[in-house]
């Protein structure tokens, strides 16, 4: 065997075919639904699944027991619902079997949730956190509920075939009810947190097998499970156990303090068919693509320790999410794609070898030049083509419509669900608002909604704010559901009404809305909206509100959208500022200051004054952000003056620090009058960035799998940079395919492919690669 390591030292210039910006084109999509459901300030949708007839099942958690909803295909009508248990019981995972039966798995602490007679485990094991598995028919009539046979256990995933149902999760119990055929009978030495897998019959009466997933010297936490038609199971997650079992592995040994993993168990649970580490922060998403007989995995994957072959945009030094496609035998990686900066992601298989990804966004760096739909929010979705390119991008969520310090609005998505015909994708999740009770009545939000409120999604963020009382900060949440149609390119109008009497109208479709018409019953409208609205663009409305009413927006080529307006004594904000976020992308101090422009419109009938400055409540940034120019008139004290109905422009310039210790995310706000505009991006001192400071081949076994490693070099500056091809010393056990051009164009990324030339004698190999500008790489 070989122990190998490649360490990139002093990476200020590394090099890496030049992969120019590939454009993510938002074609053939439109948001057809986006709205909220909450009870007593609590709500989330942990999971969703489509039935063969196109109806949509949702887990709904409002902290009062296990709730399951069945909605029509449009997502607006509740066809059936079920509720079990009480406060302390929560459903976490949902799946359907081929016949359309519904399986739900979750945790229970209430003491009131009961198993059914004849179930494998009809009673709780003890008073600690227990987990359960429940089955419902297509109309949500309960069929059985069984516990999992042990306390101190938290289920995280469920999957079903025609003749079996499987669950996985985490247990802190050293006496889990392992069956005689279970491959791992006891927790590994010295461990307290371990994974488990159980298989039940479809009537819930029999535990077919139960086994630990465990390894010495660390904790193991499964995140997801799927099963094939032969009842083999595939489990993915995170482990810090150096002794986690591997066999026929892509990566046989752990390469850091923690790692993702992927394990395949036999149908009887009595053996590993393969098991491998996936280096990085952990796998959070797993799906089985039956059309291509492959597994889809998403999560945090270490770029220098596992092959990510497709990168379509310049990279920053931050944590990214990635997608892997691995065949069912686990013996190769057929595709790998770098996604966007984020902390977790979930995947669902689409038709014909495509995939949908949803996750948590840390910095809005999307591939390509087109803007993602929705334009704001801290969650993302991407569509991956069968050719492993990203062709559609979306953002989900919202933000405070006033000063950012007043409230925090966050979103969290669960795994997407794809309809049987592939024409609709459901994105379930939650929106959480943190705000002060003193501001509850006046706080305004910007959250786009479509076709809501309705019977299935009856709430608004203003409803949540109304539930805030007392003297301490309120933490309020709602289930958040968006449906996306992929059948045709169309426009789709949405309204952010939670900042009434100011409204924001957006086009969440992929075609320009034409013939735009705004109507408000009994109220006066002022707006900066024109007759057309381009995809991903927005316009602003100010209403003079005398009482309750209705606001309607229509277009010649879009469905009419209406929202009710409650009675409101708040005066409208005179100013509309667009856009609500300025994304600066990746900026280097080697480039001139980057500029972005805001448009300010006076929606009132009188002249208005306002100020323009960095929000003083935001901490001092590690970069320079200043107003570089403006065509707005100023008064003698530098206050800006804007005539009634007029617009002017403010250009902001961002300059990255020349100190590498200041490299990092841009997250601040620019205050225009009483409105904060989010400022996002990433700055770095150097012109170039390398995808990994360490490339590690780990332990290589003779006759084993030998995957390449890819090293990417981004020119994140506005200036072309020359590159000298990397030369490998003679007799080096490593080979390098340098795919970088002689000149690395501005804002592009290129690749080095590294391979280890296996030899038969055990050794620890090292060599030095000479790179540009005196940079060396220890191999």
């Amino acid at each position: 065997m070989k122990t190998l390591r490649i360490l990139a030292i002093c990476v200020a210039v590394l090099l890496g075919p030049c992969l120019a910006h590939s454009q993510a084109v938002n074609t053939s999509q439109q948001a057809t639904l986006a709205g909220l459901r909450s009870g007593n300030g609590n709500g989330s949708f942990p999971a969703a699944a489509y039935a063969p007839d196109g109806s949509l099942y949702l887990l709904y958690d409002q902290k009062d027991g296990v709730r399951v909803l069945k909605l029509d295909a449009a997502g607006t009508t509740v066809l059936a619902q079920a509720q079990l248990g009480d406060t302390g019981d929560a459903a976490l995972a949902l799946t359907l079997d081929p016949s359309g039966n519904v399986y739900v798995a979750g945790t229970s602490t209430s003491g009131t949730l009961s198993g059914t007679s004849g179930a494998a485990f009809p009673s709780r094991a003890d008073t600690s956190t227990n987990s359960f598995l429940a089955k419902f028919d297509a109309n949500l009539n309960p069929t059985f509920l069984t516990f999992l046979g042990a306390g101190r256990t938290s289920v995280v995933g469920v999957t079903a075939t025609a003749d079996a149902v499987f669950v996985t999760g985490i247990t802190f119990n050293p006496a889990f009810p392992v069956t005689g055929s279970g491959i791992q009978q006891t927790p590994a030495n010295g461990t307290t947190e371990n994974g488990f897998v159980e298989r039940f019959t479809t009537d819930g009466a029999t535990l077919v097998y139960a086994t630990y997933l465990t390894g010495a010297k660390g904790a193991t936490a499964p995140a997801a499970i799927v099963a094939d038609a032969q009842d083999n199971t595939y489990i993915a997650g995170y482990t810090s156990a150096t002794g986690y079992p591997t066999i026929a592995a892509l990566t046989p040994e752990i390469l850091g303090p923690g790692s993702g993993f992927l394990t395949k168990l036999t149908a009887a649970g009595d053996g590993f068919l393969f098991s491998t580490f996936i280096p990085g922060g952990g796998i959070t998403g797993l799906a089985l693509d039956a059309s291509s007989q492959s597994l889809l995995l998403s999560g945090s994957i270490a770029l220098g320790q596992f092959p990510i072959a497709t990168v379509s945009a310049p990279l920053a030094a931050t944590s990214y999410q990635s997608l892997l496609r691995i065949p069912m035998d686990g013996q190769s990686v057929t595709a790998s794609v770098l996604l966007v900066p984020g902390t977790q992601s979930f995947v669902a298989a689409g038709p014909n070898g495509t995939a949908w990804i949803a996750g948590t966004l840390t910095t809005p760096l999307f591939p390509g030049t087109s803007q993602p739909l929705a334009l704001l929010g801290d969650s993302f979705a991407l569509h991956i083509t069968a050719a492993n390119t990203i062709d559609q991008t979306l953002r989900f969520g919202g933000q405070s419509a006033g000063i950012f310090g007043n409230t925090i609005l966050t979103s969290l998505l669960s795994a997407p669900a794809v309809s049987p015909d592939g024409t609709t994708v459901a994105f379930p999740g939650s929106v959480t608002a943190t705000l002060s009770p003193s501001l509850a009545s006046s706080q305004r939000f910007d959250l786009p909604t479509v076709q809501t409120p309705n019977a299935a999604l009856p709430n608004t963020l203003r409803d949540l704010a109304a539930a805030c009382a007392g003297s301490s900060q309120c933490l309020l949440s709602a289930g958040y559901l968006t449906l996306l149609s992929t059948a045709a390119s169309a426009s789709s109008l949405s309204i952010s009404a939670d900042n009434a009497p100011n409204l924001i109208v957006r086009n969440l479709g992929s075609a320009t809305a034409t013939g735009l018409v705004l109507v408000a019953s009994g109220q006066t409208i002022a707006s900066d909206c024109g007759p057309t609205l381009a995809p991903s663009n927005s316009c602003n409305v100010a209403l003079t509100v005398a009482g309750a009413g209705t606001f309607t927006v229509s277009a010649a080529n879009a469905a009419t959208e209406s929202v009710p307006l409650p009675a409101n004594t708040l005066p409208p904000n005179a100013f509309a500022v667009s856009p609500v976020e300025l994304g600066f992308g990746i900026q280097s101090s080697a480039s001139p200051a980057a500029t972005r422009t805001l448009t300010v419109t006076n929606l009132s009938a009188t002249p208005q004054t306002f100020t323009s400055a960095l929000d003083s409540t935001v901490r001092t940034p590690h970069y320079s952000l200043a107003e570089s120019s403006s065509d707005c008139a100023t008064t003698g004290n530098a206050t800006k003056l804007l005539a009634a109905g007029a617009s002017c422009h403010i250009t902001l310039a961002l300059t990255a620090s020349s100190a590498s210790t200041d490299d990092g995310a841009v997250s601040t706000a620019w205050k225009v009058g009483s409105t904060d505009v989010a400022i996002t991006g990433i700055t770095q001192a150097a012109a170039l960035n390398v995808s990994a400071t360490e490339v590690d081949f780990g332990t290589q076994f003779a006759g084993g799998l030998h995957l390449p490693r890819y090293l990417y070099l981004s020119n994140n500056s506005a200036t072309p940079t020359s590159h000298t091809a990397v030369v490998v010393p003679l007799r080096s056990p490593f080979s390098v395919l340098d795919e970088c051009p002689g000149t690395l164009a501005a804002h592009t990324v290129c690749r080095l492919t590294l391979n280890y030339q296996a030899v038969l004698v055990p050794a620890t190999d090292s060599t030095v690669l000479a790179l540009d500008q005196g940079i060396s790489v220890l191999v």
Side-chain angles (χ1 to χ4, degrees):
M1 66 181 180
K2 291 286 180 180
T3 301
L4 313 170
R5 177 162 292 182
I6 297 177
L7 179 64
I9 300 177
C10 301
V11 187
V13 184
L14 222 173
L15 330 266
C18 206
L19 306 174
H21 263 188
S22 70
Q23 186 164 346
V25 181
N26 290 315
T27 57
S28 302
Q29 66 182 42
Q30 56 171 319
T32 60
L33 178 79
L36 305 176
R37 186 181 183 95
S38 182
N40 301 316
N42 293 299
S44 69
F45 293 126
Y50 275 99
D53 66 358
S55 55
L56 178 63
Y57 291 92
L58 291 166
L59 293 184
Y60 173 53
D61 181 13
Q62 66 175 39
K63 309 303 181 186
D64 62 353
V66 176
R67 290 175 175 263
V68 192
L69 303 177
K70 180 181 180 180
L71 307 185
D72 65 339
T76 59
T77 303
V78 178
L79 302 178
Q81 54 187 316
Q83 182 177 5
L84 303 173
D86 207 335
T87 301
D89 303 323
L92 303 173
L94 169 74
T95 194
L96 271 65
D97 68 16
S99 298
N101 297 300
V102 181
Y103 293 90
V104 173
T107 58
S108 175
T109 61
S110 71
T112 62
L113 189 68
S114 300
T116 52
S117 176
F121 301 102
S123 302
R124 298 166 55 88
D126 53 31
T127 59
S128 69
T129 298
N130 279 229
S131 292
F132 67 87
L133 170 67
K135 180 180 179 180
F136 302 84
D137 67 15
N139 294 316
L140 295 183
N141 298 303
T143 300
F144 74 77
L145 187 147
T146 181
F147 292 96
L148 302 190
R152 301 174 62 198
T153 297
S154 179
V155 68
V156 298
V158 61
T159 188
T161 63
D163 62 352
V165 57
F166 305 85
V167 292
T168 191
I170 304 163
T171 183
F172 294 86
N173 197 326
F176 196 76
V178 177
T179 55
S181 63
I183 184 64
Q184 290 186 297
Q185 292 284 305
T186 59
N189 221 9
T191 61
T192 56
E193 180 183 351
N194 291 284
F196 69 85
V197 180
E198 289 182 311
R199 173 181 175 175
F200 291 88
T201 54
T202 56
D203 61 3
T206 304
L207 175 66
V208 179
Y209 76 73
T211 181
Y212 283 101
L213 283 184
T214 181
K217 299 181 182 178
T220 298
I225 184 171
V226 295
D228 60 27
Q230 291 73 45
D231 290 332
N232 303 305
T233 53
Y234 307 78
I235 306 96
Y238 167 84
T239 185
S240 60
T242 58
Y244 188 81
T246 59
I247 182 172
L250 297 170
T251 305
E253 294 190 351
I254 200 166
L255 297 182
S259 177
F261 72 86
L262 174 65
T263 296
K264 180 178 181 179
L265 289 178
T266 61
D270 57 358
F272 296 113
L273 295 175
F274 70 77
S275 186
T276 184
F277 290 105
I278 306 289
I283 301 300
T284 49
L286 176 65
L288 192 156
D289 183 359
S291 67
S292 63
Q293 285 297 289
S294 61
L295 299 168
L296 300 170
L297 294 85
S298 67
S300 301
I301 299 169
L303 297 182
Q305 299 174 342
F306 200 81
I308 302 298
T310 303
V311 173
S312 57
L315 299 173
T318 189
S319 176
Y320 281 80
Q321 294 295 289
S322 295
L323 172 70
L324 303 178
R325 187 179 291 273
I326 294 176
M328 308 290 281
D329 64 4
Q331 298 306 286
S332 63
V333 180
T334 54
S336 50
V337 185
L338 192 75
L339 305 176
V340 294
T343 55
Q344 65 176 358
S345 57
F346 307 98
V347 60
N352 305 316
T354 62
W356 285 95
I357 315 289
T360 303
L361 184 70
T362 52
T363 302
L365 299 180
F366 285 84
T369 56
S370 64
Q371 289 291 326
L373 296 187
L375 294 178
L376 74 163
D378 53 358
S379 295
F380 73 88
L382 306 171
H383 181 252
I384 312 298
T385 69
N388 304 304
T389 60
I390 300 169
D391 70 338
Q392 296 180 43
T393 59
L394 302 93
R395 288 177 72 179
F396 297 88
Q399 63 188 28
S400 167
I403 303 300
F404 285 3
N406 289 351
T407 187
I408 301 172
L409 189 66
T410 59
S411 64
L412 181 66
L413 295 187
S414 305
V418 181
S419 65
D421 61 4
T423 62
T424 303
V425 187
F427 297 96
S430 63
V431 168
T432 301
T434 305
L435 70 159
S436 167
S438 63
L439 299 172
S441 62
S442 59
Q443 183 57 59
R444 303 178 181 186
F445 304 96
D446 179 4
L447 180 76
T449 62
V450 181
Q451 283 200 70
T452 59
N454 60 48
L457 303 170
N459 300 115
T460 68
L461 282 174
R462 296 293 286 269
D463 294 337
L464 292 188
C468 182
S471 58
S472 58
Q473 288 280 94
C474 296
L475 182 63
L476 305 162
S477 64
Y480 180 40
L481 176 67
T482 299
L483 299 187
L484 187 76
S485 171
T486 63
S489 181
S491 59
S492 178
L493 300 175
S494 74
I495 303 172
S496 290
D498 289 303
N499 63 335
N502 289 90
L503 308 176
I504 299 174
V505 177
R506 284 190 175 83
N507 181 359
L508 299 187
S510 51
T512 296
T514 60
L516 203 66
V517 176
L518 312 177
V519 176
S521 58
Q523 300 168 45
T524 302
I525 294 177
S527 83
D528 61 2
C529 299
T532 63
L533 190 59
S536 302
N537 282 21
S538 64
C539 61
N540 301 273
V541 177
L543 302 174
T544 301
V545 180
T550 301
F551 175 79
T552 301
V553 56
S554 61
N557 59 340
T560 297
E561 184 70 17
S562 295
V563 292
L565 297 173
N568 193 338
T569 59
L570 295 173
N573 189 342
F575 293 104
V577 184
S578 182
V580 294
E581 177 184 297
L582 291 181
F584 280 85
I586 307 172
Q587 297 298 328
S588 164
S589 66
S591 300
T595 59
R596 303 289 188 269
T597 299
L598 295 169
T599 298
V600 184
T601 302
N602 181 359
L603 300 179
S604 76
T606 59
Q608 300 286 333
T609 60
F610 64 97
T611 57
S612 169
L614 185 69
D615 191 330
S616 60
T617 65
V618 179
R619 65 181 178 83
T620 303
H622 48 266
Y623 43 83
S624 170
L625 182 67
E627 182 178 312
S628 63
S629 64
S630 173
D631 60 8
C632 303
T634 59
T635 63
N637 60 0
T639 299
K640 299 185 187 302
L641 175 65
L642 192 57
S647 295
C648 65
H649 305 87
I650 298 170
T651 298
L652 303 182
L654 184 146
T655 305
S657 168
S658 60
S660 60
T661 53
D662 289 337
D663 290 358
V666 173
S667 181
T668 190
W670 190 267
K671 186 176 178 182
V672 178
S674 61
T675 299
D676 268 338
V677 176
I679 309 296
T680 61
I682 289 181
T683 62
Q684 62 182 56
L688 303 181
N689 178 67
V690 71
S691 61
T693 57
E694 181 175 324
V695 177
D696 193 346
F697 280 80
T699 300
Q700 302 283 299
F701 293 91
L705 301 171
H706 301 286
L707 300 178
R709 303 291 186 267
Y710 300 106
L711 199 60
Y712 293 91
L713 180 70
S714 291
N715 181 3
N716 293 333
S717 74
T719 304
T721 300
S722 62
H723 167 63
T724 302
V726 174
V727 177
V728 179
L730 293 175
R731 294 181 295 277
S732 170
F734 300 96
S735 68
V736 177
L737 174 61
D738 189 338
E739 302 174 75
C740 291
T743 299
L744 189 59
H747 306 301
T748 57
V749 59
C750 59
R751 186 175 75 182
L752 297 168
T753 300
L754 292 80
N755 280 285
Y756 175 68
Q757 311 301 306
V759 295
L760 297 179
V761 294
T764 300
D765 293 309
S766 64
T767 189
V768 175
L769 298 180
L771 307 177
D772 291 339
Q773 301 182 15
I775 303 300
S776 62
V777 174
L778 176 64
V779 181

